[in-house]
Amino acid sequence: MHALSIPTWIIHVSSVIEWIAAIWLIWTYGELTQNKAWWGFSFAMLPALVSAMCACTWHYFDNSPSLEWLVTLQASMTVLGNFTLLLAGFWIWRTSKSQQA
């Protein structure tokens, strides 16, 4: 756990907590508006959350070489998360355009 300083740990952990809160708030917004596109967006945020948790786990164990697979998983989840967020954002945009017409 010595791989990161205390302030860096605070940033890492608070970012994960903030991301979880954002997922919950977006899900709640989808419920209030009954717009399933927002539910999709909250699901699309999950790969990025997994990515962040991989980073925190790897750092927690002092960047152990035996856990280097977490780095690969983190990178993969980041790429997947970027695409899922792109698609979810497109779905929200398309839904909002159809509601305006």
Side-chain angles (χ1 to χ4, degrees):
M1 203 163 137
H2 303 7
L4 301 178
S5 66
I6 296 297
T8 304
W9 269 115
I10 291 169
I11 290 168
H12 273 58
V13 172
S14 66
S15 294
V16 170
I17 293 168
E18 289 168 1
W19 200 252
I20 292 169
I23 290 171
W24 176 74
L25 288 170
I26 291 169
W27 180 269
T28 302
Y29 181 75
E31 286 181 338
L32 291 173
T33 62
Q34 291 299 307
N35 186 342
K36 292 183 181 180
W38 288 101
W39 292 340
F41 194 85
S42 66
F43 273 113
M45 295 173 73
L46 291 176
L49 177 61
V50 171
S51 174
M53 294 172 99
C54 286
C56 288
T57 302
W58 192 56
H59 291 317
Y60 181 81
F61 291 104
D62 290 325
N63 304 342
S64 172
S66 66
L67 295 176
E68 275 193 28
W69 60 271
L70 281 173
V71 177
T72 304
L73 181 60
Q74 179 202 5
S76 300
M77 288 294 103
T78 298
V79 170
L80 178 64
N82 288 343
F83 280 110
T84 59
L85 287 168
L86 171 75
L87 294 173
F90 178 75
W91 187 20
I92 290 170
W93 173 75
R94 192 180 71 193
T95 303
S96 69
K97 288 198 60 106
S98 67
Q99 290 173 352
Q100 291 174 358

